[in-house]
Amino acid sequence: MSAFDLSGRLAVVTGARRGIGFGIAEALAEAGADIVGVSSSLEPDGGEIGARVRAHGRDFRGLAADFADPAAVDRLGDELAALAPDILVNNAGTIRRAPAAEHPIDWWTEVLQVDLTSQFQLTQAVGRGMLERGRGKVIFTASLLSFQGGINVPGYAAAKSGVSGLTKALANEWASRGVNVNAIAPGYIATDNTQALQDDPDRSRSILERIPAARWGRPADLGGAAVFLASPASDYVSGVVLPVDGGWLGR
């Protein structure tokens, strides 16, 4: 059996309806995992991502939850914990763009709740069962802004820096108990979240000029890293924030 084989594993992927979560969910299914997809608006059959997962011969179940509502996240955590997943991919997120001096505090609060606090809530709920079973894989979606400050996204930069710290903090506590906690830091990926940057000719050009790969990333580009971190191949990898950025950070 390949060290990257996920047959017989159950993976939860939040934010699975589109973008990076879609790409990760499909990659895990292709590697053999059954998928529970979660999004703020996702049909029980999963719509397009459900069809893609089933095309790989795997089961799919869709759940809807509002990650901006702490009570809804608590309920989701209980529901997911009861399923005893082997893999948790904390990918759901949001972004708000405005200069820091004018950035509305409710935007800040929303982004921190969705991108950081809800991630901890779910990981607590699902992680307890993983610790009891002595095995599990937790993968966060961090960002280049886990390393850098960004422009006009103070809440997002703070949240993603927090995700990096949370990844390391949990890894320190859980690695010896059989649960690997790591993160993927996507670079500039062509998704809805980066549409404003793609549509700005000056920003898009300056971004592409710095990426050695000379292109925007695609959601599928995150699949290999996700499969690695979800599989036995990464059993001795803990507390890592793995950039998948076309070489941006090395420039």
Side-chain angles (χ1 to χ4, degrees):
M1 179 181 295
S2 167
F4 298 92
D5 185 8
L6 298 179
S7 298
R9 309 292 175 87
L10 177 64
V12 172
V13 182
T14 68
R17 188 175 67 85
R18 58 188 174 85
I20 289 171
F22 189 111
I24 288 176
E26 183 171 16
L28 296 180
E30 189 173 8
D34 295 318
I35 305 295
V36 175
V38 188
S39 181
S40 58
S41 58
L42 186 65
E43 307 91 334
D45 70 355
E48 185 179 355
I49 184 54
R52 292 280 191 94
V53 168
R54 288 187 289 273
H56 291 294
R58 310 315 309 167
D59 292 334
F60 183 93
R61 176 181 177 184
L63 298 174
D66 181 0
F67 290 89
D69 179 354
V73 177
D74 277 338
R75 291 191 295 271
L76 174 64
D78 291 342
E79 188 170 5
L80 294 179
L83 298 176
D86 305 285
I87 301 156
L88 172 62
V89 181
N90 283 304
N91 170 74
T94 191
I95 192 167
R96 295 286 194 173
R97 300 182 187 277
E102 292 88 37
H103 204 85
I105 194 65
D106 58 328
W107 284 12
W108 168 277
T109 301
E110 175 196 9
V111 171
L112 267 289
Q113 165 59 35
V114 173
D115 292 7
L116 182 59
T117 303
S118 72
Q119 317 277 332
F120 182 56
Q121 288 177 271
L122 287 187
T123 306
Q124 268 193 323
V126 174
R128 291 186 188 108
M130 291 179 172
L131 293 169
E132 290 172 1
R133 294 187 294 275
R135 59 182 176 83
K137 303 281 187 173
V138 177
I139 304 168
F140 291 96
T141 298
S143 170
L144 287 184
L145 301 196
S146 298
F147 305 95
Q148 302 174 333
I151 300 170
N152 295 332
V153 286
Y156 186 81
K160 292 303 185 178
S161 294
V163 165
S164 174
L166 179 58
T167 297
K168 296 168 187 176
L170 295 178
N172 288 343
E173 293 189 37
W174 293 2
S176 66
R177 301 176 64 182
V179 179
N180 298 85
V181 184
N182 294 288
I184 298 170
Y188 285 92
I189 309 298
T191 68
D192 292 350
N193 273 357
T194 60
Q195 193 62 54
L197 301 180
Q198 297 174 65
D199 292 342
D200 182 327
D202 293 334
R203 284 297 306 280
S204 182
R205 182 175 60 255
S206 68
I207 287 167
L208 285 172
E209 286 174 349
R210 176 165 170 172
I211 301 173
R215 66 171 175 84
W216 284 76
R218 297 180 289 266
D221 290 323
L222 285 299
V227 170
F228 167 62
L229 293 176
S231 73
S234 64
D235 281 351
Y236 199 58
V237 178
S238 285
V240 165
V241 181
L242 174 63
V244 181
D245 64 356
W248 172 280
L249 288 174
R251 187 65 176 260

